[in-house]
Amino acid sequence: MKQFFKFMFASCLGSALMLIVLMIIMIWMIGASSNNTISVKPKSVLYMKLDYSIPERTTESDFTLALSGLQNNTDVTGLNDIIANIDYAKNDPNISGIFLELSSVGTSTANIEELRYHLEKFRESGKFVITYSEAMAQNAYYLATAGDEIYINPDGMLDIHGMASQIMFYKNLLDKLDIEIQIIRGPNNKFKSAVEPYFLDKMSDANREQMTKLLNTMWGKVVNDISDSRGISVERINQLADDLALTFDAKVALEEGFIDGLAYRDEIIARIKDLADIDDAKKINVLTNAQYASARPEPKAKADKIAIIYANGQIIDGEGDDSTIGSITLSKAIREARENKKVKAIVMRVNSPGGSALASEVIRREVELAKAEKPFIISMGSYAASGGYWISSEGDYIFADPTTLTGSIGVFGTFPNAKKFLNETVGLTFDVVKTNKNADFGNVTEPLTDYQKAMLQKYVGNTYNDFTALVARTRNLRQSYVDSIGQGRVWAGADAIELGLVDELGNLDDAIAYAADKANLTDYSFKYYPKQKDLMEMLTSGNMPEPYTKSLIKNRLGKNYKYLETVENISKVDGIQALMPFMIVE
């Protein structure tokens, strides 16, 4: 007994000491970040390096780590704060201009469209936007064309080659492992390509058709914007992209008018000093996005508020976070916004490829209740497809960017059968005792029976019918028409507006302005949902902050992370899924 109490005391003491150490570290980190006062001196330059995976909004824990100097990335600022920085800097007398040092941009084409819009507005103030890179990726160049001047290292490259969609297929691997994925799709869901990797080794004709249309729409938007900004014909841009003529010789990019010069970084610094009227002998006061966001004053709170609700990530049942839409978490956020008497209108920012059909319906119900009391406007970002469209369709009015991925009205279910793999490859056998005929339903050690498949097919069919009926009701369309443009097909925003799936092409600012007009608001501030956890809450809850989990994997895998994410998306959701897992390679 003495030994028991001895070990118990030692264990408690160890836990207490660990907690004390954790608290000391936390106090130091928060103190370090709060004491790191940022000075916005006259003739300062806002510096943006956007090659990290840009979240929809700044994560509080990541931000604290960045300012404390312990973040593994130099900047973790979310899209919301990047845009707020650009908008505030436009009228800040201490900011002379923006320096974009871009190799790539860690976000979607739709979000780059929004960044371009705000950079163009910034330039209207007469301040400069200058871009430099040693090697510039295509998406970085698309953003750069919203600025005044673009420079590349003399030995660098400008990689413009067009867009592609790449899908990883698992069929041959599963065949070798003797694992069968039993798939139940909605009726006529021929475009629902999410399940194709399990039973095909290449794209189906239907999927190839939808991807060709989607890519041509998106690439057409990008090329037209570049053409307008740089005065180069669409035909010439496509010809040079086909020939990879710009990729391996930066001089061609200069000769063709894609860039304004070939220069070394020190020459760019000199150019910035000249534009900002800074003496050569003096240093430029450079502010990163994270630094400027911390120095930027908080907007004055107003009595009337517009709620901004972030619906970001895959839709799952239960609790969510900044990168996952949990039915409980988001429903609670919508309900809080509805019940807050100071909130006069709601804008829900949706960035989701979908997920659980049940969770999507739970969230949709809260949207329905909220819009009965106050204007509820949808702003679609990178994607609002499948379950992402499900939760959006109930809104009063839908905005999408031209390259937003949306639609994908379709559902499916997947049920693995690993019997042969377990019996013959691994050497494991199983036996079961059950009280009812289907008591072992969903067991991966046995294939589905014909009856179980029939019941699942009926359930999936009913879910698809519910989906198309929902869209028909909320969008004032015939259900047969919704089925004809549904069937799992993904559309770009520019095509979706023609089909009646969205109301207007526009960004988050447009959605906010529309919501304010509908609520008759002229003077208002914002209330953001769901409430984020700070670093202390994340650590004490046992969840490691983003930089030490997902972002570490992203940094290690680089572009290859998308393949892991595709598999992860499928494996996250149980039951019937409304999901759009494919990627656009830019």
Side-chain angles (χ1 to χ4, degrees):
M1 183 63 71
K2 289 182 179 180
Q3 286 293 104
F4 170 77
F5 283 111
K6 178 181 177 181
F7 286 126
M8 185 178 72
F9 176 76
S11 178
C12 292
L13 180 62
S15 299
L17 289 173
M18 283 297 296
L19 181 61
I20 292 170
V21 170
L22 179 62
M23 292 294 292
I24 292 172
I25 293 172
M26 282 297 309
I27 293 169
W28 177 82
M29 289 168 63
I30 295 172
S33 63
S34 61
N35 291 331
N36 191 9
T37 304
I38 306 300
S39 173
V40 185
K41 301 174 183 176
K43 300 182 180 180
S44 292
V45 172
L46 182 55
Y47 173 78
M48 296 189 180
K49 189 174 178 65
L50 305 174
D51 56 352
Y52 60 97
S53 183
I54 302 172
E56 185 65 22
R57 62 170 171 165
T58 305
T59 303
E60 290 299 323
S61 59
D62 288 10
F63 192 69
T64 303
L65 286 166
L67 292 178
S68 69
L70 294 182
Q71 174 57 272
N72 58 319
N73 292 320
T74 56
D75 209 337
V76 291
T77 311
L79 184 68
N80 63 326
D81 275 320
I82 296 171
I83 288 174
N85 283 347
I86 295 170
D87 291 346
Y88 189 81
K90 177 173 63 176
N91 300 312
D92 187 342
N94 290 326
I95 296 293
S96 296
I98 294 176
F99 175 29
L100 300 171
E101 189 162 21
L102 303 176
S103 56
S104 63
V105 180
T107 191
S108 68
T109 302
N111 284 344
I112 292 174
E113 283 184 66
E114 299 211 10
L115 288 170
R116 291 182 88 257
Y117 169 82
H118 288 275
L119 286 173
E120 288 168 351
K121 289 292 183 183
F122 176 87
R123 289 175 61 199
E124 291 176 3
S125 67
K127 299 179 180 183
F128 66 85
V129 177
I130 187 169
T131 306
Y132 175 72
S133 180
E134 293 179 357
M136 189 177 294
Q138 186 168 274
N139 62 357
Y141 181 73
Y142 180 41
L143 178 59
T145 56
D148 297 290
E149 300 174 9
I150 306 172
Y151 296 92
I152 289 180
N153 184 284
D155 292 323
M157 59 185 288
L158 174 59
D159 188 15
I160 296 181
H161 54 262
M163 287 184 175
S165 175
Q166 190 174 39
I167 300 173
M168 181 168 61
F169 293 85
Y170 326 121
K171 178 185 180 299
N172 292 335
L173 173 63
L174 294 170
D175 287 347
K176 289 180 179 181
L177 294 174
D178 285 326
I179 296 176
E180 175 194 12
I181 303 297
Q182 302 162 105
I183 297 162
I184 312 294
R185 283 203 280 189
N188 301 320
N189 276 204
K190 64 179 181 179
F191 293 102
K192 199 66 178 176
S193 61
V195 293
E196 287 188 357
Y198 295 121
F199 65 88
L200 296 176
D201 57 10
K202 62 181 180 180
M203 290 186 196
S204 67
D205 291 340
N207 192 24
R208 190 172 298 278
E209 176 189 336
Q210 78 164 332
M211 293 311 305
T212 300
K213 172 65 175 174
L214 184 66
L215 289 171
N216 283 332
T217 299
M218 295 177 67
W219 179 241
K221 168 63 175 171
V222 170
V223 171
N224 276 291
D225 286 347
I226 292 173
S227 177
D228 291 342
S229 297
R230 300 299 301 184
I232 307 168
S233 72
V234 168
E235 293 74 20
R236 185 58 177 161
I237 295 171
N238 277 316
Q239 181 185 346
L240 293 167
D242 286 343
D243 297 340
L244 295 177
L246 305 170
T247 304
F248 302 107
D249 192 345
K251 296 183 182 65
V252 175
L254 179 61
E255 292 166 1
E256 295 285 348
F258 283 80
I259 62 176
D260 297 288
L262 301 173
Y264 294 98
R265 197 174 190 277
D266 61 289
E267 294 175 303
I268 299 304
I269 300 303
R271 176 60 178 155
I272 292 172
K273 286 184 178 181
D274 181 53
L275 291 169
D277 193 26
I278 298 172
D279 188 271
D280 283 342
K282 295 183 178 179
K283 289 185 176 181
I284 305 171
N285 187 45
V286 175
L287 299 170
T288 66
N289 269 313
Q291 291 170 333
Y292 193 59
S294 70
R296 200 181 68 233
E298 288 291 329
K300 187 177 179 181
K302 306 293 174 62
D304 292 332
K305 300 185 187 301
I306 292 179
I308 309 295
I309 299 176
Y310 286 95
N312 187 55
Q314 189 177 343
I315 301 171
I316 62 172
D317 300 286
E319 299 285 349
D321 52 33
D322 278 334
S323 59
T324 308
I325 300 172
S327 58
I328 292 175
T329 304
L330 190 61
S331 294
K332 179 184 177 183
I334 297 171
R335 188 163 54 252
E336 288 176 349
R338 168 167 61 90
E339 294 173 349
N340 189 334
K341 291 181 171 53
K342 293 181 180 180
V343 171
K344 307 302 181 183
I346 299 170
V347 175
M348 187 162 77
R349 175 69 167 181
V350 181
N351 272 293
S352 174
S356 165
L358 177 58
S360 299
E361 174 58 18
V362 170
I363 294 166
R364 183 212 61 80
R365 172 60 178 168
E366 288 296 335
V367 175
E368 182 182 28
L369 294 173
K371 82 168 188 179
E373 298 185 22
K374 53 193 70 173
F376 198 109
I377 313 304
I378 302 296
S379 170
M380 293 179 171
S382 303
Y383 37 57
S386 210
Y389 190 78
W390 192 311
I391 68 175
S392 300
S393 61
E394 193 71 63
D396 289 309
Y397 202 78
I398 300 175
F399 286 87
D401 287 306
T403 59
T404 296
L405 304 182
T406 189
S408 192
I409 300 166
V411 294
F412 66 90
T414 59
F415 300 84
N417 168 25
K419 180 177 182 177
K420 194 172 181 181
F421 168 73
L422 294 169
N423 291 175
E424 299 181 11
T425 305
V426 180
L428 296 176
T429 57
F430 300 85
D431 204 352
V432 63
V433 175
K434 53 188 179 181
T435 60
N436 296 80
K437 184 187 290 186
N438 291 294
D440 58 345
F441 169 66
N443 192 334
V444 299
T445 63
E446 291 290 337
L448 295 169
T449 66
D450 290 341
Y451 175 79
Q452 290 168 348
K453 284 182 181 178
M455 292 298 291
L456 284 168
Q457 187 64 63
K458 181 180 178 181
Y459 180 48
V460 169
N462 288 341
T463 304
Y464 179 67
N465 183 69
D466 291 344
F467 200 169
T468 54
L470 164 66
V471 176
R473 174 179 63 79
T474 57
R475 303 301 303 167
N476 194 26
L477 302 168
R478 297 188 316 275
Q479 189 171 0
S480 59
Y481 170 75
V482 175
D483 174 59
S484 71
I485 63 172
Q487 302 176 21
R489 182 159 186 170
V490 182
W491 301 96
D495 296 319
I497 192 170
E498 301 296 329
L499 299 169
L501 294 176
V502 303
D503 295 295
E504 191 172 331
L505 296 179
N507 56 30
L508 180 58
D509 279 4
D510 296 318
I512 291 170
Y514 186 89
D517 180 65
K518 288 299 177 183
N520 297 313
L521 298 177
T522 55
D523 194 27
Y524 55 86
S525 56
F526 299 109
K527 179 74 174 175
Y528 298 98
Y529 298 91
K531 183 182 179 297
Q532 291 181 308
K533 291 182 179 180
D534 59 28
L535 186 58
M536 177 70 79
E537 289 175 312
M538 291 190 73
L539 286 175
T540 53
S541 68
N543 296 320
M544 289 300 291
E546 177 83 359
Y548 297 103
T549 54
K550 199 169 186 178
S551 65
L552 282 177
I553 301 173
K554 287 181 179 179
N555 291 339
R556 289 288 184 184
L557 295 181
K559 291 183 178 180
N560 294 321
Y561 175 77
K562 292 182 178 181
Y563 298 110
L564 176 63
E565 192 171 34
T566 300
V567 178
E568 183 185 30
N569 284 345
I570 288 288
S571 63
K572 271 184 183 178
V573 185
D574 294 322
I576 304 306
Q577 304 182 35
L579 187 63
M580 179 212 72
F582 62 76
M583 66 190 76
I584 303 296
V585 181
E586 302 174 50

